[in-house]
Structures are given as C-alpha cells and as structure tokens.
Amino acid sequence: MEASRKDLAFRTREGLIHVSRKPPEIDEEDESEFLAHYQGEEYPRPSVAVDLVILTIVDVDLKVLLVRRSEHPFKGVRALPGGFVRVGDSSKNQGEDLDAAAARVLSEKTGLPSRSLYLEQLYTFGKANRDPRMRVISVAYYALVRPDLVPFVEARQMVENGSPRAVWLSFSQTGSEPLAFDHSEILKTAVKRISGKIDYTDIAFELVPATFTIGELRSVHEVIKGTAYDPGNFRRRFQRMLADRIIEKAPGKRLTVSRPAAVFRFRRP
Amino acid sequence: MEASRKDLAFRTREGLIHVSRKPPEIDEEDESEFLAHYQGEEYPRPSVAVDLVILTIVDVDLKVLLVRRSEHPFKGVRALPGGFVRVGDSSKNQGEDLDAAAARVLSEKTGLPSRSLYLEQLYTFGKANRDPRMRVISVAYYALVRPDLVPFVEARQMVENGSPRAVWLSFSQTGSEPLAFDHSEILKTAVKRISGKIDYTDIAFELVPATFTIGELRSVHEVIKGTAYDPGNFRRRFQRMLADRIIEKAPGKRLTVSRPAAVFRFRRP
DNA sequence: TAAATAGTGTCTATGAGACATTATGTA
DNA sequence: TACATAATGTCTCATAGACACTATTTA
C-alpha cells in the first residue's frame, strides 16, 4: 500500500499511521448515499431487544432468573428473560421508552412493580450474527431483587401450569451450562459491573432484606466479590456508614445460631 | 383499586405492593401476540444510530468534536458526529458489528485509523421522540484523541471546501450553546464517565502526547476533574506508577517557561 | 534578580488489613 | 461445656493531603 505524495504519515505507539488529506471518495459517496436512502426507509433496520439479568442472593448464593427457550434457535436452552422494544408506526407514536421496555419485562417476569426493584442499564450487545435468525441489537439491563421479595417472584411462576416459566439458577452453575445466544457473556458482564460498583455505591442494600444485620451485609459483599472479609474490619467500614446516617438502627434483634445480632435499615436517599 | 382475595400484598420501603397471583390476562395476550407477529416482521423496528463523543485536551482545555447539522430537524445546530448502523438484508448478511459502526464513524470524522484512538461504548439513549422524525435508538460511544494527533484531525477538515465539516469546541462553551437532539445529555454523560474512570484506569494517558511530563499529566487530571491537585502529592502518585512499570522514562527533557521537566512514556499493556 | 515550575521532604489523618479478645447466644 | 458468631480493640502499613523547601531554568 503506497501513500500519495500529499498524504501525511506519522509514527505513533501503534506504528506508522497514514492520514489521507482527501477523504476516500468511495467512502464519502457511500455515506451520503446511505444516509439519503436511509431516511427514505429503504435500508433495513435491526430489531432491538432488551435482555435482563435479574439477580438475587439467597442463602449466601448468587442466583439469576432464567427462562427456558421454547423456540428455535437454542430451543430448550436457558436464556435471559427479554423482549423486543415496542416501536410505534409513526413519528407521532414512537412507542415505549427503552427504559420502559426494560421495566416492563422486569415486571412481567417477576410479578413485582419495577419501581420496587433496582434496575440499571448495563451494556449494549450488537455483534452481527449474535442471533442467527436476524439482526438483533440487545440492550442489556440488570436488576437486583432483595431476598425478602424472592418468594413473591416464585409464587408467580407456579400459577400458569406445572412447569415454572422462569427459575432462579445459581450463578456458579451457569458456568457449566451455557446460555443461549451471547447471554453467558451478558451475565458475566453484569456480575463484573456489580462487583465493581459494590465498593463505592449503595447497591449492596438492594441485595439484603429491608432490615439486615452486619453479617448479612458482609456475606453479600463476599458473594459478589468472591472473597472473605474480616468481620471486624468490615464492621468498622459499616460503622462509618452509621455515623454518616446512610443506615440506621432498626428495632429488635436477629436470632441466629449464636449471639443475636443488631438489625439495621438502609436510609434510602 | 381493589386487590382480589387471592392476591398478595406486602409492605416495603416503597409502600404497599400488590402482587397478583395470576398475571394480568391482557398483558399475557399482548406479549405473545406481539412476539408472534414481531418475528413475522409485521411490527415496526427502530433505526439504530451510533453517536460519538470525541474528546481531546489542548492548552488545558477540554474540547469536543462537533458537526453542524445541514438538515432539519435542528438545522444549523451543532451535534455529535454519528451515523446509522448498517444492517444487512438477510439472516446470512447481517451487516456490521455495533463496535465497527462506531469505529467507522470515528475514522470518517477524524481521518485517523480508529485503532490508534481510545474508543469505548458509553450508554444507549432510547427515549421515544428523542428524534422527532422517527424512532431512533442511539448507542453512544466516546473516543479520546491525544493532543499530538489533533493537527491531523484539523487538516482533514480543511480539504473538502472552505467551511470545516467538524470543529473542536470547548466543552465549557457547550453549556451556553445547546446541542441538537439529546446530545447535550450524551456529552455530559461522557464527561462524567471519564471523570469517574480517570482515577482508577489508564485513560489519562490517552489525553497526553506520546511523551509527556508529570505537569502535563496532572493538568489533564485537573481539567477532567475540575479541581487543582497539589503538584508534590500528584508527583508521588505518579512515581508509584513508575515503580510499577506502568510508565517509563523517555529520553530528553521538555523545555518550559521555567525549569525543564523530565518526559515519560506510557507502557501500553 | 524575579518569576515560575520541577522536584523533594515532612507531618498528619484516614482507612485497609491482620489479629487478638471479650460478649452472648444455641446445641 | 463446646461452639459459633457478635462486637470491640490494637497494631501496622499504605495512601491522600497540607505545606515547606530546594533546584533549575527563562525573562
């Protein structure tokens, strides 16, 4: 490949780089032509889906809510719950917000009002051929379900027929049983994100019951980070939150196998 | 609103929550009907665009690369560079990857090979009516251009005609001159993300020349965080990076208005 | 020489982590 | 009584920040 005399080249950390002073003609034509036609709706559009990583922690075990696919491809394989974003058919009626689509799927699958759960956009997965049928771009969200709400989610799954529509599966088991599409990657991305955020945000409180002990909160951190924390040191970290009024004492004590523990409540900001 | 006798209700931090044991019939029908038809391509799809926040720091000033819109809506208003994701017309040919679309737009607008720049997905903006013409879901990316590459970007803008196609605007000026669509929000989100990541990642090295002084690196941090750092303390932080072999000494010295400074180089992992 | 920035050193406060000790329940 | 976990205390080390001081250049 030879650069024309008017071209620029410079050496960088990535090696020699050529900069053409004229943008390549074919690119320009391509782009403007593409845009012109695109507005005219001649070019194909992708489907856009939302996929949800719905997580909880029960009995010191991270669990994710999964469905089993009833259609090809990946028929019979577990997958993240998801749905297509509903798009209107005119400029006046453009359909539902992206966040609303995620909240809708979350409510559908859990039976809980989405405003009672923590829901946040995770990442958008858009490789070509990630769905063999057609081009699907998936905006992934993750949601956290407090363990005291889990029974309500399970109750919802048992109503329609004998086989549950969605089940909680241990995150540790999802390694040996791959998910449909690129959902294993999405799941891993979600856990990684939470693991990164738990140290400097309040999301840990979305994974304990409304009232909780320091030990319960600690085990949430331990499950997410995959490491053990010194109980005494963790307690000190916690007491700073108490001083900062992020949490407050709740009445009563939690009875355990040993000495009863004080219970606390998160002061939602 | 009255709950049926079989419904469950429970009190949470968010108030009283009702859980219907049976999923609402109308929802279920809606969903399955929707999905069935969707696969048949009867339902409308959104357009998916990538919008890029391309940033650099020149003369202790954070700048963003903006274009001026030549079409309605927002004709004549500044906007982030962007483009539609190219989607194929069959299941075999599904078009370009989402990341590839972002890299393509980045190359088109800067004239630089995208692999020589830092590019990362930011967030997906999908509110209905964010584009008045039609439903557009925008996957935003941000890119960082080292200041020693800026002249090449500017050279590219001058070729086609007299008026540049894209210009660097000071971030501080974008507050008084709102951008098209929700691009002001996207821009703010990008700067916030960078501000959060600069403390625990290596992205600061994407905003200094290939070789740089400690003072130059410090002023990048100061511009991004909007605060002043103590030169001595910052230097110590930096020396740990030197010990950890994240950076290394480069030959020569940078001549300044005062005492010349040692120059360093980032050891790309 | 004055101004400016590079570069070094010192002191303090804070938080993380290792580890020991006491307190209070259950089996 | 043995065991388990709650709750407290102590010590060390790493880091952030305030601040003083020296070094080396240009104007």
Side-chain angles (χ1 to χ4, degrees):
Chain A
M1 230 172 45
E2 198 160 320
S4 81
R5 192 159 296 176
K6 290 221 169 177
D7 280 0
L8 304 171
F10 55 101
R11 195 168 293 282
T12 73
R13 293 174 291 206
E14 292 78 24
L16 200 62
I17 289 183
H18 289 278
V19 183
S20 53
R21 299 192 65 94
K22 263 203 185 299
E25 298 296 333
I26 189 158
D27 264 27
E28 288 301 307
E29 280 186 5
D30 268 8
E31 191 195 355
S32 52
E33 187 195 2
F34 179 81
L35 285 177
H37 286 86
Y38 201 100
Q39 309 291 6
E41 314 211 5
E42 285 195 33
Y43 277 78
R45 300 175 178 190
S47 295
V48 175
V50 289
D51 285 317
L52 264 70
V53 181
I54 305 171
L55 295 166
T56 192
I57 294 180
V58 175
D59 295 336
V60 202
D61 188 28
L62 180 64
K63 291 173 183 298
V64 56
L65 195 67
L66 297 173
V67 298
R68 208 178 269 285
R69 285 187 54 80
S70 58
E71 305 290 336
H72 279 101
F74 298 103
K75 184 170 179 175
V77 178
R78 292 190 201 277
L80 298 173
F84 290 100
V85 178
R86 294 180 180 176
V87 173
D89 50 6
S90 73
S91 62
K92 289 291 173 189
N93 167 30
Q94 294 199 354
E96 65 186 345
D97 287 0
L98 190 58
D99 288 348
R104 173 173 59 78
V105 171
L106 180 57
S107 273
E108 283 169 6
K109 292 300 164 191
T110 61
L112 300 172
S114 67
R115 60 175 186 79
S116 66
L117 304 174
Y118 182 87
L119 176 64
E120 185 186 315
Q121 191 185 301
L122 174 64
Y123 195 80
T124 298
F125 295 81
K127 282 203 175 72
N129 302 107
R130 54 178 293 283
D131 187 319
R133 293 167 298 176
M134 56 178 176
R135 183 64 187 269
V136 180
I137 290 171
S138 167
V139 185
Y141 284 74
Y142 71 95
L144 304 178
V145 179
R146 302 196 318 258
D148 50 343
L149 301 183
V150 167
F152 296 95
V153 177
E154 284 176 340
R156 158 132 181 137
Q157 306 305 332
M158 303 311 260
V159 289
E160 204 71 347
N161 46 31
S163 65
R165 297 152 48 87
V167 297
W168 293 106
L169 200 70
S170 282
F171 173 70
S172 56
Q173 290 177 38
T174 59
S176 53
E177 185 186 343
L179 305 181
F181 306 107
D182 53 359
H183 288 189
S184 294
E185 185 190 354
I186 297 176
L187 174 58
K188 264 185 220 157
T189 305
V191 174
K192 202 170 171 183
R193 170 80 61 90
I194 293 163
S195 175
K197 287 192 81 164
I198 199 171
D199 289 321
Y200 65 99
T201 67
D202 294 331
I203 57 170
F205 300 112
E206 310 292 342
L207 289 169
V208 288
T211 63
F212 54 88
T213 69
I214 301 182
E216 287 164 1
L217 186 68
R218 173 164 52 86
S219 76
V220 163
H221 277 81
E222 290 178 335
V223 167
I224 294 293
K225 303 292 275 189
T227 59
Y229 288 101
D230 180 274
N233 295 337
F234 187 88
R235 178 175 299 272
R236 240 189 339 215
R237 226 169 113 183
F238 184 82
Q239 271 155 352
R240 277 190 288 274
M241 287 194 260
L242 200 57
D244 297 344
R245 311 259 301 149
I246 294 169
I247 49 174
E248 62 189 5
K249 266 208 73 139
K253 284 200 172 285
R254 179 86 84 242
L255 299 180
T256 71
V257 64
S258 67
R259 177 176 172 177
V263 292
F264 299 85
R265 195 194 342 263
F266 176 49
R267 284 167 48 91
R268 210 155 277 273
Chain B
M1 228 169 55
E2 197 160 322
S4 81
R5 196 159 294 179
K6 290 220 168 178
D7 280 2
L8 303 171
F10 55 99
R11 195 167 293 283
T12 73
R13 294 175 289 208
E14 293 79 23
L16 200 62
I17 290 183
H18 289 277
V19 183
S20 53
R21 298 192 68 94
K22 264 205 183 298
E25 298 296 335
I26 190 159
D27 263 29
E28 289 302 306
E29 280 186 8
D30 267 11
E31 192 194 353
S32 51
E33 187 195 1
F34 178 82
L35 285 177
H37 284 86
Y38 201 100
Q39 309 290 7
E41 312 211 9
E42 285 196 31
Y43 277 76
R45 300 174 179 190
S47 296
V48 175
V50 288
D51 284 317
L52 265 69
V53 181
I54 305 170
L55 296 167
T56 192
I57 295 180
V58 175
D59 296 335
V60 202
D61 189 29
L62 179 64
K63 291 175 184 297
V64 55
L65 194 66
L66 297 174
V67 298
R68 209 178 269 284
R69 284 186 57 78
S70 58
E71 304 291 338
H72 279 102
F74 297 103
K75 186 171 180 175
V77 179
R78 291 191 202 277
L80 298 173
F84 289 100
V85 178
R86 293 181 182 176
V87 173
D89 51 7
S90 72
S91 62
K92 290 288 175 194
N93 169 27
Q94 292 199 356
E96 65 186 346
D97 287 359
L98 190 58
D99 287 349
R104 174 175 55 81
V105 171
L106 180 57
S107 272
E108 282 169 7
K109 293 299 164 187
T110 61
L112 301 171
S114 66
R115 61 174 185 81
S116 67
L117 304 173
Y118 181 87
L119 176 62
E120 185 186 314
Q121 191 184 302
L122 175 63
Y123 195 79
T124 298
F125 296 81
K127 281 205 175 70
N129 301 108
R130 54 178 292 285
D131 187 319
R133 295 166 297 176
M134 56 179 175
R135 182 65 188 267
V136 180
I137 291 172
S138 167
V139 184
Y141 284 74
Y142 71 94
L144 304 179
V145 179
R146 301 195 319 257
D148 49 343
L149 302 183
V150 168
F152 297 95
V153 178
E154 283 174 341
R156 157 129 181 140
Q157 306 305 330
M158 304 311 260
V159 288
E160 204 69 350
N161 46 32
S163 64
R165 298 153 45 85
V167 297
W168 294 105
L169 200 71
S170 282
F171 174 69
S172 57
Q173 289 177 39
T174 59
S176 53
E177 185 186 345
L179 305 181
F181 307 108
D182 53 0
H183 288 189
S184 294
E185 185 189 353
I186 297 176
L187 174 56
K188 264 186 221 157
T189 304
V191 175
K192 202 171 171 183
R193 170 80 60 92
I194 294 163
S195 175
K197 287 193 82 165
I198 199 172
D199 289 321
Y200 65 97
T201 68
D202 294 331
I203 57 171
F205 300 112
E206 310 293 340
L207 289 169
V208 288
T211 63
F212 53 89
T213 68
I214 302 183
E216 287 164 1
L217 187 67
R218 172 163 53 86
S219 77
V220 164
H221 278 81
E222 290 177 336
V223 166
I224 294 294
K225 304 291 277 189
T227 57
Y229 288 100
D230 179 275
N233 295 337
F234 187 89
R235 176 176 299 272
R236 235 184 347 206
R237 226 169 113 183
F238 184 82
Q239 271 157 348
R240 275 189 289 275
M241 286 193 261
L242 200 57
D244 296 344
R245 313 258 301 149
I246 296 169
I247 51 176
E248 63 189 4
K249 267 209 74 138
K253 284 199 172 287
R254 180 86 85 245
L255 299 180
T256 71
V257 65
S258 65
R259 176 177 173 177
V263 293
F264 298 86
R265 194 193 343 261
F266 176 49
R267 284 167 48 90
R268 209 156 280 270

